Every structure is written in C-alpha cells, then in structure tokens.
Amino acid sequence: MTAGSTTAQLIEKHRPTLDQALEAIRTRAYWSPYPEHPKAYGAEGAVPGSLSAAEGQAAFEALRGKRFELDQPGAQGWTGAEISPYGPELGVEYPHPDVERLLPAMRAAMPEWREAGPEVRAVVCAEILARINARTHEFAHAVMHTSGQAFMMAFQAGGPHAQDRGLEAVAYAYAEQVRTPGAAEWSKPQGKRDPLALSKQFTAVPRGISLLIGCNTFPTWNGYPGLFASLATGNAVLVKPHPRAVLPLALTVRIAREVLNDAGFSPDLVTLAAERDGEGIAKALATRPEIRIIDYTGSTAFGDWLEANARQAQVFTEKAGVNTVVIDSTDDYKGLLSNLAFSLSLYSGQMCTTPQNFLIPREGITTDAGPKSYDEVVTDLAGAVEGLLGDDARANALLGAIVNDQVKERIAAAAQLGEVALASRQVTNPDFPEATVRTPVIVKLDGAKPDAEAAYLSECFGPVAFAVAVDSARDAVELLRRTIREKGAMTVGAYTTSPEVERLVEEACLEECAQLSLNLTGGVYVNQTAAFSDFHGSGGNPAANAVLCDSAFVATRFRTVEVRRPS
Amino acid sequence: MTAGSTTAQLIEKHRPTLDQALEAIRTRAYWSPYPEHPKAYGAEGAVPGSLSAAEGQAAFEALRGKRFELDQPGAQGWTGAEISPYGPELGVEYPHPDVERLLPAMRAAMPEWREAGPEVRAVVCAEILARINARTHEFAHAVMHTSGQAFMMAFQAGGPHAQDRGLEAVAYAYAEQVRTPGAAEWSKPQGKRDPLALSKQFTAVPRGISLLIGCNTFPTWNGYPGLFASLATGNAVLVKPHPRAVLPLALTVRIAREVLNDAGFSPDLVTLAAERDGEGIAKALATRPEIRIIDYTGSTAFGDWLEANARQAQVFTEKAGVNTVVIDSTDDYKGLLSNLAFSLSLYSGQMCTTPQNFLIPREGITTDAGPKSYDEVVTDLAGAVEGLLGDDARANALLGAIVNDQVKERIAAAAQLGEVALASRQVTNPDFPEATVRTPVIVKLDGAKPDAEAAYLSECFGPVAFAVAVDSARDAVELLRRTIREKGAMTVGAYTTSPEVERLVEEACLEECAQLSLNLTGGVYVNQTAAFSDFHGSGGNPAANAVLCDSAFVATRFRTVEVRRPS
C-alpha cells in the first residue's frame, strides 16, 4: 500500500469526524467521538477493534517488567523507575535518548510532513487518536498506575476525555491553517493600463521541534492538546514525560510512530525523551535552538523559569493557581453541599481545577433550608464529605491514591494552620494495601487575619480546603479578585441567588480573567471541563498563559510563507 | 443622539465594509476600501467629506507652531521638537503625560468597551479609519515631514495603505473573537437519566492596556495594525510615538478619541504619550504591570530588550533583517534591472523591506539578452539606478529625504567596504534646500572573503546595496538560508528561469520561514506588500516575531471568559 492511498483512505475515514469537531468548536454544544463508558470497548462494544476490559488489563500487564522498544534514533541505554502510587513497581524501561542524534532526525522528518498539508496532517492525527481510543482500557491502567487516579477516572479522564482534548486541538489547528487559502490570484486595477497581477501561494510551515513536558497527574489529558496542536501544524514533537508518569505517553508515542509510518511519513516526527528521575533534562532540552515550541504543565517555579529562559521558543504553560468558591446564598443547599463535597474529593483534590478556598460570610448565608451560619455551612460541608466518603469502597473509587509524599505532608501541615473542621482520614484500599488513600481536610481560617492570608493565598495542592470567613459577599468578591490577580485561578465557583452578587462575581471574573461556574448543584463539577465546549484555563491570569483550547493555542505554532510571482 | 443609536448607525454604515474585509482576508484577492489616488479626495473626489489637496495642506500648516490639544487626563506640561527631514521645524507641542493618572483612566474606560462586543468595536474602529481616510491629504504632509518620505509615498503608504493595514487588523480581530459564540446550550446525555445541561456565556475580554511604540519611518503604516488589533479586541491603547514622528500618530489619537466619544465611549481608550527626545519613556512604560500588550517597530537591540524584559506583556516586534535577492537567470533582463533599481531607490532604501544583498554567481548569469558576467550585471544595475534617478525632479519624487544622520553616515561608510560600483550622489531638492537627498550606493563584495561577510551579514539600513559574488546559484541559496536564519529577513527576492533553482530557493524560504517574491520585473516590487493579500514579515525568522496580519497577531490580544450555569 502506498502512502498516497493510505492518506486518501485516512481522509475518507476521518474527514467526517474532523468536520463534526469543527462544528462543535463553533457551536460549543455537547459532542464527543470517543465513548466514555467502559462497555463501549471490546468485541461487543461500539468501538470497532478495541480492547475489552480484560484485554486492556492483559496488555498493560504484558508491558510490566520489560523494556519498552521504540526503535527511535539515538537511543543510549535504558532508563525507567516508575512506581505506582498504588504500590507496585512498573519495572518498565525506556530508551534513554541521545538528543544529538534524535533532534537532527526529527528535523529531517519535517519537510515531508509540511508538504502533506493541513488536511492530511489532521486525519493522520485523528488516526493516532482513534488507535489510542481503541486501547483505552490499556491506557486506563497505565494512567491509574502512574497518576494514582482511581480506575474509572483514569479510564475516562485519561482516555476519552484526553482524546477529546487532543482532537479539539487538531480541529483548531486545521481551522487556523486553512483560513488562508493555498493559492490566490491577485489583480490590482491600474486605470487604463493593464492591471498588476500576481499568483500567490501560501504554505503553513512549522516552527521547528516542539517539546512536550508532561506532568505526573494527568499525563495524557494535559499532554495531548500540545502534542496534537504541534503535530497538526507540521512540527515534530519530542515528548519528555514526567519520570513518574512515562508509560501513558510512551504508549502514545509508540502508536503515533506506527500511524505515521503506516501513512508513509517518518516516525521520527514523534519521539520520546525518557529521563532518569532527578536527571532534569527538561532544562537542557528547553533551551536548545532546535526547540521552537514548549508545552508544559506543572509547578509555577519551573513554568516561570521556562517563560524567562526558553526565549527561542513559544512557551505554553499551565502552572498553579488558587481556586476559589464564593458561597453567598443558594436555593438548593443540599445540592450545593453534595456538589462541593464531590469536587473536593475527586482524585483527592489533586487537580489543578479543584477548589481550595471557600469564601463564606461570617454572618452566614441564606438557603432554601433557612439561614445557615458560617459554622453551620462548614460543618455541613464537612458532613457532606464524610457522607460521600463514608463507605470505603466508594471512597477508594473517588479518591484514588495520593500521588507523592509532598501531598501527604501538605495534608498534615494544613491541619496546623487553623481549626480543623474535617480531619483527613486514612482509607485502606483492599486491592492495593500499599496505596496512600486520604480523605480531604477542611480547615477554618479567618480571612481578616494576616497570618491566615499566607495560607489561603498559596496553592496547597492536594485534598486541602480552607473555609475562609469573610465580612460579606462584597468582601468575598474583593478577595476573589485579589486571589485571581496575584495567584491566578484555573477555576472559580460561586453560589448565589442574588442578582447583585452574581453580577459582582461575573464582573470580577471578566475583569480578572477567570472561568466561572455558577450554582452548580447537580452532576457537573467546577473542576471538570468538557472539550469542544468548555475552555480549560483562561490564559489571562497567572495560573496559565495557555487555554485548552482556543486559536491562540495553535496560531503561533506555525507560520504562513507566501511565494508570489507574476501571473 | 444616544450611544445606542450611534453604534447602530455605525453598524449600518460599516458592516458592509467589514464583511468585504473578511472576504478579502479569506480569498486574498485584491481589495481596498481607501482610494490611493490623491484626486479621490476633496469636494470633487469619490470620498465624501474628505479634504482636498489644498485643504489638507492648509490643515497641516494650521497645526504647525502650536500646541496640539488632546484633552486627555494626566497632562503634565508640553513637549515636542520635531524637525522635518526636509528642513523645517514643525514647532508642534504635545501634552506630556502623567502616566500615574493616565493609566488608571485608561483602565476605567475598558469595561464598557468590553461590554460593547466585537461588532460594535469593529465598526467604531472602521469609523476611526474612515475619518482618518477623509483627512489623507493632511496626514500625507504629517508623514512626509516626519519620515522624510516623498509626498506621493507619504500620501499612499502613510494614508490608504496604512488604513488598509488597520482595517485588515480589525477584520482579523473581529473574525477571531466571533469564532466562539456569545452563548451556547450544552446538554450531555446520561443514558436513562436526565441529561446534564448547562447554559454557557462566552465573552471576549481584553488583556489590559496596549502600548504602541511607533517608529520614525512609517508611523502610521507600522503603527495602525497593532493599534487597531488591540482596540478592536477590547484593550485601551497608549500610543508612544517616536519623538521625531509624533504628529501622524497624534492626529490619529485625536480622531480616535473624537469617534469614541461620539459613539458614547470614553475617549481615554486611546491616548498619547509624547516624550522629550532622549527621554526614553518606552522602557519605563513597557515594564508597567498595567501594560499587557506591546507593539514595536524599530531596532533589533530595543526589540530584543522588550522581548526579554516586558515579560508581563505580549510583545509583537518588527526588528531588523537582511534582505536578499538571488539573481540566477532571467528571461527579462531589462525588467529585472528596472524593477530592482526602483526597489533600491524608493524612499532611499529606508524600508525594512528594501533588498540589501544581491547574490550573483561570479561566473555570471543567463538572460534573454545573452549571458552576463557578474561585473556586467552589477554595472547594468548601477546604470539602471542612474537612469531612473538621472532627472532630479524624478529622483526627489522617488528618494524622499534621508531620515537621520546615521543613514547618511552609513552611506559614507559603505563606500569604504569594497569596490564602489555606483557612488551615492547628492540631489538638490528645490522646494526644500535643507533636505538631505542621496541616491543609492552599490558596493561589490566577494562572498567568499571573510572580511566581506561582516558587511553583508549586517543590516545596513538606508540606500546601500551589496552586490555579493557567489560561487553558484546553489551557493547563493546556502548563503540565503544562513542570512535568514542568523539575521532574519523581511523579504526575499529571486530571479531564475531554472525550475531547479526556483525549487531550491522556495524550499529555503519555506524551511527558514521568509516571504519570497519571484521574478518581479513589472510594477510590483519586492519591498511592497498589499494588505488583505500579502503578509508583511513571516514571524518565523529573527527579523520579526509578528506578521501583518495573521490570526496570531490578534489571537492573544484577548481572552475568552466563560460563565456557565445550570440550564
């Protein structure tokens, strides 16, 4: 089979999906091409050729304790020391890269990829995502045993939801590249003389090599947007996973290389740079002249370092923020409590979108169940969390495992910061007795006290919530503004029945640039966003300079070169 | 008249123009709403309410020797010392800003402007441009007597062509902001349960205050894209002109303030920061936290400083490059010579797009007039320039005046660098005897000699051309690649009848990211680009990180804030 016929087949196969994705980002209505129910996969599921639950688990187990062959140029020994947050060592070793050989191979692969054009690149990316999707059950285990997410979350957020975000980036990249036509005839009238006439060609050209610096907690969900945005715009992508979450991205790289090769392109358009823990190759890679784009999710400190030092590259960062929920009033107090309890508990609060500060007027709030004092609200929220996580099986299914020791230490330290309204509880996971499983801690703080400020104005990543007493709703909005401006925020939530307070909160979010969820009391949570409809981050406050996904996320990943000649 | 009725009227008046602009940037066909012929203006011209040549001149003269009132907040005395490159002092004084009062006023103006939405902002911008357009004859004198451009160029490039680039930016800004709908209903099926349903609002929000740092040579042409891109995306714009080219941008600011005020918005959305020569307020302004966007045209040194230091802002720069023309072969030798002679002479080569290095094989080239040796090509090019500029009246009309002493010094220094094939000649301007008018110098250099390299691998801004002897066309392409990669290029030209050489040059421009003009022998010149069709700069080589105009130029000037609530 020639490359030509393969790409034609890929266009036939994936063009309808691409068109639906383009329509979805235009309407922002609900859409997803990748089923989120585990039963959709396997021989009896809706996804053809996909792995069943048992096959996925077997595929994951087959990877363990072995070398992960990639057949990419410039391998220099083997590295890998992943230990599941659930206990087991994965025992997988990955090729350690020789970047002096890897980077030139990647550059050499790019001209043909550029020549292929936006549509072929988009459908090749769609095929990569389709093959990843078919192996969602395998990815679920890989994500679970690197991030510590519970299985169902690893399956959904690490599988179809991550794939959605990848396809969303492909759609944005495609749309942006075809806004300028491939060719144009230009004819300028000159009065009685002949018009000036030129033939113009416009080609989307890549920037260079794109570096993806992966994170520990959401290796695929946070990794796919940058990877696919860069690949779809013609760049080669070097994937540098977090040393503790290599496997999901290594699988991704392997599948991408297979698809590229099948479609007649060099597999070296996507390569892996696995590193030894503590080796810190990201800094060296990030400042190489060949690296022209960087996507990064992680700490503010390293994100700031990249922005300041990787000056030769376009740097897209998602760093840390302090997420706030303003609680002013509600007509569904029970819904408020259960919604927030779930938001706090999901993946032990180890999401960049988990709310941290709950701003509650010290005089209390009005609810459909009567007025509630500050103390009552905090006690009721604590009770809702206890109720949600009272059953250990359910608690394990929601909480997952603590991803590293720093999170565990933060839980302990938080309890020293103020009055503990809800103590963190250890939960035993019968399947993985070595896993650290902890319920959230809720600490009361007085917003007016300067010593409390240091606590609630710092990100405390993990299952830690601060119930901050404020003077009034207006005071809460002022603190919200200040928090977004100084510390950034990935999410903001608010509960109010007052049009006046709602207006103030909205205005604060519009002016300080943060994404707002109002009065969520049902099955949508402030920490969850849906690809094709919700923006993840705003790009306009210190938490992140990038948005998943808008045109700014793709527009600078390529440039348009014009060649003009007389007609 | 209320603001509401005014903006409705503006939509009715300018929506068709906006739609045509949107269509033009999509097709890249020829289009301009602003006539470039001087006779189109005045009572008998096509542009209603426009100033005639005499009225424009009178309006310009009326500004001279006076204070330029702007009625903007935070004025602290007066400043201004513009001297026309043609000799006369302008004698105009501008309010010197107190930024501690100016910046808060600008911020206060933004929420209402944000609320107006993309369409109203676009038509208000179109109205500003229409009023500027009507005063093109006045602007022509202001541009001529600050930049040193000859009158016709100041009229066209400083008038309709600059206005085109401004409207192009408005169109891109509008298109980008409305890609996301203002509102959406989202409903996610939940099997047998009720769907999850959310109502979502999406609002384009500004980044903050945008700073325009103007240049001496093209105050309007290089200034309008950033000014209008930022204003159309909801930002306030602080205009900091070059101290020697204040008037064209001060007029622009005054008109913008009038239109904003008439439409019911705060005029403080556009303000002027005139400075004393040598005061250097750009550095202080550029690093203020309120400044979130910077547009800059000028030296590489200060552009690099901005990119490194104004970290709180999106920085769009157009710096210096070294523009190359590869001369391999032609089937229109006469056309090649006359086209290049014109390119070299226009505005005394004081354009960022003027070609500097002519790479010519030392064995000579093939032409329709027989083979030509390297020496013959250089001699013939020199002869073509001499012929073009032999008549002083025509020379003055093409060359304009030398903008500053540094350019004059560069002409003298260039003659020391190698064999002078064409000496620069002083031309007298009978209307402005104090003007410095100089024809181009052409210097022969041997591309293989290391001491020559220092000359041809530096930008020599002004009427200086290097005829660089190279070993072959292939050698020329290698040098072209290296020049773009190391020094950047705003333009590349090439002449060849060989498909093989054409392919090599194209591939070099695609890989190194530079805009290419092939075989221009008629009335289109490598240093000219047309808005709505041609890109100015590529954004992908060291000459500029920005392109006029593509979506990347507008996409990061605003962010989209989402507010979601249960349906």
Side-chain angles (χ1 to χ4, degrees):
Chain A
M1 186 184 291
T2 70
S5 70
T6 304
T7 54
Q9 286 162 1
L10 290 179
I11 290 172
E12 196 184 333
K13 179 175 175 191
H14 294 295
R15 180 75 222 195
T17 309
L18 177 62
D19 286 336
Q20 283 177 285
L22 291 166
E23 177 69 3
I25 60 175
R26 199 183 63 73
T27 66
R28 316 303 291 181
Y30 171 77
W31 182 70
S32 168
Y34 309 116
E36 66 180 9
H37 199 292
K39 286 192 180 152
Y41 300 87
E44 283 159 37
V47 180
S50 59
L51 299 185
S52 68
E55 288 163 340
Q57 178 145 24
F60 168 70
E61 294 298 343
L63 295 166
R64 294 183 56 188
K66 295 211 181 66
R67 287 189 167 171
F68 191 98
E69 298 282 354
L70 265 179
D71 193 27
Q72 68 182 27
Q76 222 173 25
W78 296 83
T79 186
E82 291 158 290
I83 301 170
S84 169
Y86 288 94
E89 285 185 25
L90 299 197
V92 187
E93 283 195 314
Y94 308 91
H96 191 264
D98 172 0
V99 293
E100 302 302 336
R101 286 181 55 209
L102 196 55
L103 296 180
M106 296 177 77
R107 277 168 79 130
M110 282 168 49
E112 254 192 298
W113 187 233
R114 179 196 79 218
E115 282 302 304
E119 186 181 41
V120 167
R121 286 195 294 268
V123 297
V124 169
C125 287
E127 175 67 13
I128 296 170
L129 284 162
R131 290 205 205 166
I132 289 171
N133 176 245
R135 287 163 64 175
T136 293
H137 269 292
E138 181 182 2
F139 274 87
H141 291 279
V143 170
M144 174 180 174
H145 286 291
T146 48
S147 69
Q149 291 175 23
F151 178 79
M152 187 52 108
M153 180 164 177
F155 183 92
Q156 293 189 331
H161 298 172
Q163 296 150 20
D164 280 342
R165 283 286 180 201
L167 188 66
E168 180 188 54
V170 172
Y172 268 99
Y174 174 80
E176 212 55 52
Q177 291 173 92
V178 299
R179 287 185 69 184
T180 303
E185 292 298 319
W186 179 89
S187 177
K188 180 176 178 178
Q190 297 293 292
K192 289 170 193 161
R193 286 173 293 152
D194 285 345
L196 298 173
L198 294 174
S199 294
K200 303 179 178 187
Q201 284 174 287
F202 301 95
T203 306
V205 303
R207 273 200 172 266
I209 299 176
S210 188
L211 174 66
L212 170 65
I213 303 177
C215 70
N216 197 168
T217 47
F218 288 91
T220 56
W221 198 96
N222 276 100
Y224 285 1
L227 192 166
F228 285 99
S230 280
L231 191 60
T233 46
N235 304 280
V237 183
L238 177 58
V239 177
K240 204 298 290 171
H242 192 285
R244 298 156 63 98
V246 182
L247 188 56
L249 289 177
L251 281 168
T252 303
V253 169
R254 181 140 84 185
I255 293 169
R257 292 174 63 83
E258 283 166 8
V259 171
L260 286 161
N261 193 60
D262 290 353
F265 297 100
S266 166
D268 297 333
L269 289 165
V270 181
T271 64
L272 186 75
E275 62 177 330
R276 290 181 279 277
D277 207 353
E279 188 181 351
I281 62 171
K283 275 196 181 185
L285 287 174
T287 50
R288 297 270 312 204
E290 299 94 332
I291 302 295
R292 302 297 312 280
I293 303 167
I294 297 175
D295 288 279
Y296 167 77
T297 309
S299 73
T300 296
F302 192 55
D304 288 346
W305 186 92
L306 286 171
E307 291 174 16
N309 292 280
R311 305 285 317 293
Q312 85 294 352
Q314 295 281 314
V315 180
F316 298 89
T317 57
E318 182 183 321
K319 302 177 287 191
V322 173
N323 302 321
T324 299
V325 177
V326 173
I327 303 179
D328 166 68
S329 50
T330 180
D331 57 13
D332 181 4
Y333 188 54
K334 225 172 136 182
L336 175 155
L337 295 170
S338 62
N339 186 282
L340 289 180
F342 188 93
S343 282
L344 276 180
S345 305
L346 186 64
Y347 186 29
S348 318
Q350 297 170 120
M351 300 172 74
C352 57
T353 51
T354 305
Q356 173 182 308
N357 293 345
F358 297 80
L359 310 189
I360 307 162
R362 60 182 89 243
E363 313 240 300
I365 69 171
T366 59
T367 81
D368 56 319
K372 300 287 174 184
S373 70
Y374 165 83
D375 282 334
E376 283 174 314
V377 175
V378 181
T379 304
D380 291 345
L381 182 58
V385 174
E386 279 187 313
L388 179 67
L389 305 177
D391 171 65
D392 274 8
R394 190 169 174 192
N396 276 305
L398 260 183
L399 294 167
I402 298 300
V403 69
N404 61 36
D405 288 345
Q406 290 78 52
V407 174
K408 207 163 67 179
E409 288 157 16
R410 253 178 245 127
I411 300 171
Q416 310 302 314
L417 294 169
E419 183 191 335
V420 173
L422 176 68
S424 175
R425 178 171 76 85
Q426 291 200 30
V427 179
T428 302
N429 185 322
D431 298 327
F432 299 101
E434 290 173 75
T436 302
V437 184
R438 298 291 299 269
T439 66
V441 57
I442 302 180
V443 179
K444 288 168 144 183
L445 295 173
D446 186 335
K449 296 221 170 125
D451 59 332
E453 194 177 295
Y456 65 72
L457 278 185
S458 306
E459 191 202 28
C460 191
F461 185 81
V464 175
F466 297 122
V468 183
V470 293
D471 290 342
S472 63
R474 200 169 279 272
D475 187 34
V477 174
E478 276 318 297
L479 180 52
L480 168 65
R481 270 186 190 270
R482 197 181 143 208
T483 306
I484 303 170
R485 194 181 311 157
E486 295 179 11
K487 300 298 166 183
M490 293 302 293
T491 59
V492 173
Y495 291 87
T496 183
T497 56
S498 151
E500 156 91 23
V501 173
E502 183 170 321
R503 198 187 55 74
L504 287 174
V505 173
E506 272 196 75
E507 188 63 21
C509 288
L510 290 168
E511 285 192 20
E512 304 302 334
C513 206
Q515 310 298 14
L516 172 63
S517 297
L518 274 168
N519 297 319
L520 295 185
T521 54
V524 177
Y525 305 96
V526 67
N527 32 349
Q528 294 180 322
T529 61
F532 306 108
S533 183
D534 294 319
F535 293 108
H536 174 73
S538 78
N541 70 56
N545 75 5
V547 180
L548 305 181
C549 189
D550 65 0
S551 3
F553 190 69
V554 299
T556 53
R557 291 177 196 258
F558 70 98
R559 310 268 58 169
T560 304
V561 168
E562 174 182 351
V563 179
R564 58 182 190 171
R565 38 168 78 78
S567 294
Chain B
M1 185 183 289
T2 68
S5 70
T6 305
T7 54
Q9 286 162 1
L10 290 179
I11 290 171
E12 198 184 332
K13 180 176 173 190
H14 294 296
R15 181 76 221 193
T17 308
L18 178 62
D19 287 335
Q20 283 177 287
L22 291 166
E23 177 69 4
I25 60 175
R26 199 183 63 72
T27 65
R28 317 301 293 181
Y30 170 77
W31 182 71
S32 169
Y34 310 117
E36 67 179 7
H37 199 290
K39 288 191 180 153
Y41 300 87
E44 283 159 36
V47 179
S50 59
L51 301 185
S52 67
E55 289 164 339
Q57 179 145 24
F60 167 69
E61 294 299 341
L63 295 165
R64 293 183 57 188
K66 296 211 181 66
R67 287 188 167 170
F68 191 97
E69 299 283 353
L70 265 179
D71 194 29
Q72 67 182 28
Q76 221 172 26
W78 297 84
T79 187
E82 291 157 290
I83 301 171
S84 169
Y86 288 95
E89 284 186 23
L90 299 197
V92 189
E93 285 195 312
Y94 308 92
H96 190 262
D98 172 1
V99 294
E100 302 303 336
R101 287 181 55 210
L102 196 55
L103 296 180
M106 296 179 75
R107 278 169 78 131
M110 282 168 47
E112 254 192 295
W113 186 234
R114 180 197 77 219
E115 281 303 304
E119 186 181 42
V120 167
R121 286 195 294 268
V123 296
V124 169
C125 288
E127 175 66 13
I128 297 170
L129 285 162
R131 290 205 205 167
I132 289 171
N133 177 244
R135 288 164 65 176
T136 293
H137 269 292
E138 182 183 1
F139 274 86
H141 291 279
V143 170
M144 175 180 173
H145 285 293
T146 49
S147 69
Q149 292 174 22
F151 178 80
M152 187 52 111
M153 180 164 176
F155 183 92
Q156 294 189 331
H161 298 173
Q163 296 150 19
D164 280 342
R165 282 286 179 202
L167 187 66
E168 180 189 55
V170 172
Y172 269 99
Y174 174 79
E176 211 58 51
Q177 290 173 91
V178 300
R179 288 184 69 185
T180 303
E185 293 296 320
W186 179 88
S187 177
K188 178 176 178 178
Q190 298 291 296
K192 290 171 194 161
R193 286 172 294 152
D194 284 343
L196 298 174
L198 293 175
S199 294
K200 303 180 179 186
Q201 285 174 287
F202 301 95
T203 307
V205 304
R207 272 199 173 267
I209 300 176
S210 187
L211 174 66
L212 170 63
I213 303 177
C215 69
N216 197 168
T217 47
F218 288 91
T220 57
W221 199 96
N222 276 101
Y224 284 1
L227 192 166
F228 285 100
S230 280
L231 191 60
T233 47
N235 304 279
V237 183
L238 177 58
V239 177
K240 206 296 291 171
H242 192 284
R244 299 155 64 97
V246 182
L247 189 55
L249 289 177
L251 281 168
T252 303
V253 168
R254 182 140 84 183
I255 294 169
R257 292 174 63 83
E258 284 166 8
V259 170
L260 286 161
N261 193 61
D262 290 353
F265 298 101
S266 166
D268 297 333
L269 289 165
V270 181
T271 64
L272 186 75
E275 62 177 329
R276 290 181 278 278
D277 206 356
E279 189 180 352
I281 62 172
K283 275 195 180 184
L285 288 173
T287 51
R288 298 269 313 203
E290 299 94 332
I291 301 295
R292 303 297 311 281
I293 303 168
I294 298 174
D295 287 279
Y296 168 77
T297 309
S299 73
T300 296
F302 192 54
D304 288 347
W305 186 92
L306 287 170
E307 291 173 15
N309 292 280
R311 305 286 318 292
Q312 85 294 351
Q314 296 280 314
V315 180
F316 298 89
T317 57
E318 183 183 319
K319 301 177 288 190
V322 174
N323 301 322
T324 299
V325 176
V326 172
I327 304 178
D328 166 68
S329 51
T330 181
D331 56 13
D332 181 5
Y333 188 54
K334 226 172 134 181
L336 173 156
L337 295 171
S338 62
N339 186 281
L340 289 180
F342 188 93
S343 282
L344 275 181
S345 306
L346 185 64
Y347 187 27
S348 318
Q350 297 170 121
M351 301 173 72
C352 58
T353 50
T354 305
Q356 172 180 310
N357 293 344
F358 297 80
L359 311 189
I360 307 163
R362 60 181 88 245
E363 314 239 301
I365 68 170
T366 59
T367 82
D368 57 320
K372 301 285 175 187
S373 70
Y374 164 82
D375 283 335
E376 284 174 311
V377 173
V378 179
T379 304
D380 291 343
L381 182 58
V385 173
E386 278 187 313
L388 179 68
L389 304 177
D391 172 65
D392 274 7
R394 188 168 174 192
N396 277 303
L398 260 183
L399 293 167
I402 297 299
V403 69
N404 62 35
D405 288 345
Q406 290 78 54
V407 174
K408 207 164 66 178
E409 288 157 17
R410 252 178 245 128
I411 300 171
Q416 310 302 316
L417 293 170
E419 183 190 338
V420 174
L422 176 68
S424 174
R425 178 170 77 84
Q426 290 199 29
V427 179
T428 302
N429 185 322
D431 299 327
F432 300 102
E434 290 175 75
T436 302
V437 184
R438 299 291 299 270
T439 65
V441 56
I442 302 179
V443 179
K444 288 170 144 181
L445 295 173
D446 186 335
K449 294 218 172 125
D451 59 334
E453 192 176 297
Y456 65 72
L457 278 185
S458 306
E459 192 202 27
C460 190
F461 185 79
V464 176
F466 297 122
V468 183
V470 293
D471 290 341
S472 63
R474 199 169 277 272
D475 186 34
V477 174
E478 275 319 297
L479 179 52
L480 168 66
R481 271 186 188 270
R482 198 181 141 207
T483 306
I484 304 171
R485 195 181 310 156
E486 294 178 11
K487 301 298 166 182
M490 294 301 293
T491 59
V492 174
Y495 292 87
T496 183
T497 56
S498 151
E500 156 91 22
V501 173
E502 183 171 321
R503 198 187 56 73
L504 286 174
V505 173
E506 273 197 74
E507 187 64 22
C509 288
L510 290 168
E511 286 192 18
E512 304 302 334
C513 204
Q515 308 299 12
L516 172 64
S517 296
L518 273 168
N519 297 320
L520 295 185
T521 54
V524 177
Y525 304 96
V526 66
N527 31 348
Q528 293 179 324
T529 61
F532 307 108
S533 183
D534 293 320
F535 293 107
H536 174 73
S538 78
N541 69 57
N545 76 6
V547 180
L548 307 180
C549 190
D550 64 359
S551 5
F553 189 69
V554 299
T556 53
R557 290 177 197 259
F558 70 98
R559 310 267 59 168
T560 304
V561 169
E562 174 182 351
V563 179
R564 57 181 190 173
R565 36 169 78 79
S567 294

